Amino acid sequence: MINGSKRIPHPIRWAMVGGGRDSQIGYIHRSAALRDQNFALVAGAFDINPERGLKFGTTLGVDPERCYPDYLSLFEQEAQRPDGIQAVSIATPNGTHYAITKAALEAGLHVICEKPLCFTVAEAETLREVALAKNRIVGVTYGYAGHQLIEQARQMIAQGELGEIRMVHLQFAHGFHSDCVELQNGAALWRMDPRIAGPSYVLGDIGTHPLYISEVMLPDLKIKRLMCSRQSFVKSRAPLEDNAYTLMEYDSGAMGMVWSSAVNAGSMHGQKVRVIGSRASLEWWDERPNQLSFEIQGQPAQVLERGMTYLHANALIDDRIGAGHPEGLFEAWANLYYRFALAMDATDRNDSTLLKTLRYPDIHAGVEGVRWVERCVQSADQDGAWVDY
Amino acid sequence: MINGSKRIPHPIRWAMVGGGRDSQIGYIHRSAALRDQNFALVAGAFDINPERGLKFGTTLGVDPERCYPDYLSLFEQEAQRPDGIQAVSIATPNGTHYAITKAALEAGLHVICEKPLCFTVAEAETLREVALAKNRIVGVTYGYAGHQLIEQARQMIAQGELGEIRMVHLQFAHGFHSDCVELQNGAALWRMDPRIAGPSYVLGDIGTHPLYISEVMLPDLKIKRLMCSRQSFVKSRAPLEDNAYTLMEYDSGAMGMVWSSAVNAGSMHGQKVRVIGSRASLEWWDERPNQLSFEIQGQPAQVLERGMTYLHANALIDDRIGAGHPEGLFEAWANLYYRFALAMDATDRNDSTLLKTLRYPDIHAGVEGVRWVERCVQSADQDGAWVDY
Amino acid sequence: MINGSKRIPHPIRWAMVGGGRDSQIGYIHRSAALRDQNFALVAGAFDINPERGLKFGTTLGVDPERCYPDYLSLFEQEAQRPDGIQAVSIATPNGTHYAITKAALEAGLHVICEKPLCFTVAEAETLREVALAKNRIVGVTYGYAGHQLIEQARQMIAQGELGEIRMVHLQFAHGFHSDCVELQNGAALWRMDPRIAGPSYVLGDIGTHPLYISEVMLPDLKIKRLMCSRQSFVKSRAPLEDNAYTLMEYDSGAMGMVWSSAVNAGSMHGQKVRVIGSRASLEWWDERPNQLSFEIQGQPAQVLERGMTYLHANALIDDRIGAGHPEGLFEAWANLYYRFALAMDATDRNDSTLLKTLRYPDIHAGVEGVRWVERCVQSADQDGAWVDY
Amino acid sequence: MINGSKRIPHPIRWAMVGGGRDSQIGYIHRSAALRDQNFALVAGAFDINPERGLKFGTTLGVDPERCYPDYLSLFEQEAQRPDGIQAVSIATPNGTHYAITKAALEAGLHVICEKPLCFTVAEAETLREVALAKNRIVGVTYGYAGHQLIEQARQMIAQGELGEIRMVHLQFAHGFHSDCVELQNGAALWRMDPRIAGPSYVLGDIGTHPLYISEVMLPDLKIKRLMCSRQSFVKSRAPLEDNAYTLMEYDSGAMGMVWSSAVNAGSMHGQKVRVIGSRASLEWWDERPNQLSFEIQGQPAQVLERGMTYLHANALIDDRIGAGHPEGLFEAWANLYYRFALAMDATDRNDSTLLKTLRYPDIHAGVEGVRWVERCVQSADQDGAWVDY
């Protein structure tokens, strides 16, 4: 049960790079970080436009002196202060994640970075090496994974309630980019530009979300090979895809299917995870995150509800309010930030015991997301051939 | 509006091959045929066991003399009678469909046959030739296609309400064979035996159902190539699959995806058709056949209901009762049998004008289903390579 | 399992009064009666307009000689024939039910009558006396009660799966008469005219449907007193109501609530039955009749599906097709007509053993429906005072 | 759009009375108040047990000196400080609300109080007088009313999209107290004790929530008279009810129905509001707060989604994240606290222009809730007689 009591003695001194005035993602980072008194926002380089960034930082209550024009100044000047930042969140366009994350780690900071962490597996592994060398935490904001029922699913699968796992069906398929909205919408525009967005649009931008959830639920499942077919239904988006199908074979013989789309007209999110075993299936949908379908073959279908005492203890620790009251995406993110803070604090205190118990999307999850996108693009570029993972 | 009034002056004299005592499918054929006074059941070869067939035919009210031990006797002896049968329905295991259909056509009978019509495209085309040469109707019981809202979807798509079609997602994925139920269940057992079931299990047995629905909704869409990956999660079923994924590219650039499964644990039917256009999507689910989701991007999602006056006139002609009252699968089948009867009668009267207006799963639909299965198996046997259609 | 095999040796010779050309209710009566070979339609007085009735009867395949101009001729002339009718269904406006039913019983016929059976408890009890004296069956078409899951609910409640029953919430609340549609719609018009419709509109026309379902599910629950508030939101309908609330106290201390409405704008049927016990609740909705919600307090909610082997044997005997395939209202009615036929046949054979096992909406159910409406109107007319039952 | 930017220059110095360690409601108050930087928690009397309160306050980061043993000390001693509190939230058992609110107002504080504000209309009106005399804000935490789609419904109704309003159906009916859980659960125990809970349990504790939502959506609807029937299904709860039905007649001729229950076995919340007009209906359910059903008679039913641009501008101002992402109860509360802060600040600045535009559950809403409970109990105690409002 989370109730606002402090878990670490002093909030972590924290900054943001990006996430400025009009950024939705910036607000959810701040809302999550500040929710449980584990972080204090003391500095930032909030905007590519320094003036706008200063103005916005001020409205957030940040000392104007600590609103920096760019991330390099932020890292350098904070390093000079006795009360300098300990951690930074990066909420900038994809193309900058690698450089900023690397610089932050080298400056000795813990990092929370938007996905994708970077564009290539080689880059991702470099970041992993730096993080390990510097003994710093890298959290990646696969934010949906903070929902309580994801943990419940993980526990049920671990306990064999589904039997042998046969299929993993993942989708994140919204319809908001059915039209060429990037002409009017800056946040959409850069996502279609391979220089800024990287080698993929929907695979990396949204497909990696349910992929990470599947890794949480099914830690033992390893992809053996995959094939991917991707499309640019709005032609001007090519070479980046606005729709993609990925088929995956796992080592165990299980099969995976991922549908990533921004042109599923009329659909809101459409993020769904269905895990099918020899005995039963589980299904979770991010638009109704407080429910988990559990369907045992030959029995009436069941719906599990967040917060109920029949859930696993590991799921219930994230409770913030009684069952029936809907929690939303902000709680999922706050739960992740809560663990980021515990992990950072434990790292700083060399508490490896605690660290081992904390599950959160870490540098390894970040690397895996990049690897998956790289392999998907590789297959798609070979006309949908199967590629080894 | 269908209200039990006779549409053709005298019921078509009709027989069944198969569909005996314990056959569910036999009952739904009879229920559909007899519903609207268009057919009269006057003869049959109801069972592989003649004695059992005679006994069962009698309980149906068939003259014991006209309960034949096998289909050959049925066709021969009925041909001798002035009041002999005019049409026959075939509800036997797959491996016999080809021979029985061919014999029936050669005997000058109209035929209604269970899917799959046969095992190879070559056979299917032979049947088509015979049917055309004999000027006889062949109806194939893709029974779900008789639901009123399938026609509504067809009309909406034709009128451009979805914009340009981008994706067609089909699934029929139940969980009833998650376990090796064929050990106890005869109707399941033969479906796993390639000698009787043919080259596939779920692709042919269930995947062809939503495939046909997609052909009804989207008559202009032509498959260009496809790839298929199939699995036998219950090992003893190999080489037949109990699960399969098919990706399809259409000539137009649209994409298709089909999930066929008998091991989707805990799911009832899971037959769903989603058509996604540049402007809007339609979705239909056979377990709630009286509803059709219509999702225009940027507008509130809508649910259309069977029987409402806002539906297209071509959809409303199948109405049997006011909106709100659920119709079920029996009405869908009865609607098809209704059209089979009209088509048979029109053929016999050389009424080509009427014939052109009648849409039902005909010999061409039968051929297409066989072709699709053949191509899927071909791809799966080549490790999921793309094969031209 | 119902599969079309004959249960009684010869179909019952059967006629209809009313249910003519444009009558939806006529078609569902015929469809239900003829579905299982238990009835043969041999005569009728189908229309208040004899000529139209003759024409329509002919299209149904009835011998023109046996298409009578009115019900009195029908009963008299059929009584002269050696092959005269044995049973009659009455599908005429409410105001004629009493006289026709009485005449039919006195002519020695079994009767199936639309609800309400008549307008007053005194009349209803007269009909009961005549039926008992003549030893004839009276079936009342509370057609929804034929759905398989109603029986499942009855069994679960009998076995104590809900604990002590606390509340029974009933509603039938559609929106089709939100506007003054009776100006255009004849079938609506007479329902608003107290001379033809009787003392109530929605209470009798639709409220009695879920009331009867509650009697089936909860045979031991007896109403002690009730209060009712009724409204005519479309003013011209007064004194008949288009909306009504009824609160009921049962002998046991349980409470009942009924919402009857024809002005629930935008709703299709809205017929729902929720039974709440000290341990669990059941909920059934006629628009999704193949599902039954079962909610045990403190456990995940469950959905039971028609046709599954986990259902009670008494529920499964009505199965016509495997689980997953939706059955609709036509099957519910056919199940009732099936039992009407068995009851008529058992009565004619003096088989009181079988008779005792047959549950169907009989003359007692008909009387109870009339009593309930009478009491509701009595309370409403006293400004919603509580009236003893 | 709310994005964490400061709306008022300095956070309001704020304290809590009650809401201690194990209090869920305490956490949601704090979470809501602190979310948007409009309040700073600087003091409190968190617990009836001073030691426990001190300890808990400290874990929240409150200066131990400002963790007071009781509310009187809190108000007195803070009043001595130059940086003393400006506002207080009261999250204590019902029986104390009146005294604490009165004392707080008299101490010149703005107040946010849990419902019910007090036990009698006389008390409530006294509080209103004091609040007006002192020119202080009283906010009442009808927290669900902060959901964005409540405002959307209000706007749609105001614009006549439903036509003339005919019915208002309200329910809050959970099943968590189906058993006598108060034996184990302190938070339930006091709710069953009339000395602490007041004259009702479910009417006041949960029924007033949807009642307030109906006041927001339908500001012009005035109750003319009502009748109420209440039950204590768990006998030991008498005289307090665990279930109640209320029927209401409005001045306009519209009808209202409220079902309040804690023994709706198996239901989570069951808080639903359905408003039915002559043209269309709206329905909202607190467990899926991001959706609003809109059903126009004769058209396909629609579902409106939070955050979509087709919503009314007054609804969209509460957006915190893009459509599709579920917001939950914490956002609803935060939206209310946001308005409480603006109202307090505007009051302190004498900005009556702004004040007039702010809608939130104020002292008048608090009085109305108390009045409704008083009238319901009055009717129930007269055996369900109609009582004037």
Side-chain angles (χ1 to χ4, degrees), chain A residues 3 27 30 59 320 326 329, chain D residues 3 6 27 30 320 326 329:
Chain A
N3 74 348
Y27 173 60
R30 292 191 301 275
T59 75
R320 290 167 185 270
L329 186 63
Chain D
N3 73 349
K6 288 196 287 188
Y27 173 61
R30 293 190 300 275
R320 291 167 184 270
L329 186 62

Side-chain angles (χ1 to χ4, degrees), chain B residues 7-8 21 25 90 100 136-137 148 175 186 199 240 292 298 311 330-331 333 338 362 385 388:
Chain B
R7 263 298 285 284
I8 56 178
R21 197 183 52 188
I25 208 73
I90 301 169
I100 306 177
R136 296 293 80 183
I137 293 296
Q148 183 183 132
L240 297 196
L292 181 67
L311 299 182
F330 287 101
E331 282 70 49
W333 275 66
Y338 200 103
D362 59 11
D388 288 338

Side-chain angles (χ1 to χ4, degrees), chain B residues 3 27 30 59 320 326 329, chain C residues 3 6 27 30 320 326 329:
Chain B
N3 74 349
Y27 173 60
R30 292 190 301 276
T59 75
R320 291 168 184 269
L329 186 62
Chain C
N3 74 348
K6 289 196 286 187
Y27 173 60
R30 292 191 302 275
R320 290 168 184 269
L329 186 62

Side-chain angles (χ1 to χ4, degrees), chain C residues 17-166:
Chain C
V17 179
R21 198 184 51 189
D22 300 328
S23 163
Q24 274 195 5
I25 208 72
Y27 173 60
I28 195 166
H29 277 274
R30 292 191 302 275
S31 182
L34 303 177
R35 181 74 167 270
D36 299 311
Q37 303 204 60
N38 293 322
F39 292 93
L41 180 64
V42 297
F46 299 104
D47 204 306
I48 190 94
N49 176 327
E51 199 174 341
R52 209 165 50 190
L54 168 63
K55 195 167 162 196
F56 181 64
T58 310
T59 75
L60 296 177
V62 175
D63 181 346
E65 278 189 13
R66 298 175 80 175
C67 294
Y68 300 93
D70 54 60
Y71 72 90
L72 289 172
S73 318
L74 168 69
F75 298 162
E76 279 170 28
Q77 296 183 34
E78 285 290 315
Q80 313 301 318
R81 301 178 63 113
D83 62 347
I85 58 170
Q86 301 166 285
V88 65
S89 287
I90 301 168
T92 56
N94 299 353
T96 64
H97 293 173
Y98 175 72
I100 306 177
T101 299
K102 191 149 171 288
L105 289 169
E106 287 169 345
L109 299 172
H110 295 295
V111 176
I112 295 159
C113 187
E114 269 300 318
K115 36 92 311 217
L117 201 51
C118 51
F119 290 171
T120 68
V121 173
E123 286 173 347
E125 288 178 344
T126 299
L127 292 179
R128 174 151 60 184
E129 281 162 29
V130 180
L132 293 174
K134 290 282 186 174
N135 192 29
R136 297 290 81 183
I137 293 296
V138 175
V140 184
T141 43
Y142 292 121
Y144 307 97
H147 281 295
Q148 185 183 132
L149 290 174
I150 304 294
E151 178 66 24
Q152 173 67 15
R154 172 186 172 92
Q155 296 295 338
M156 290 172 74
I157 292 167
Q159 290 171 10
E161 296 197 36
L162 271 61
E164 177 197 356
I165 301 307
R166 290 175 170 172

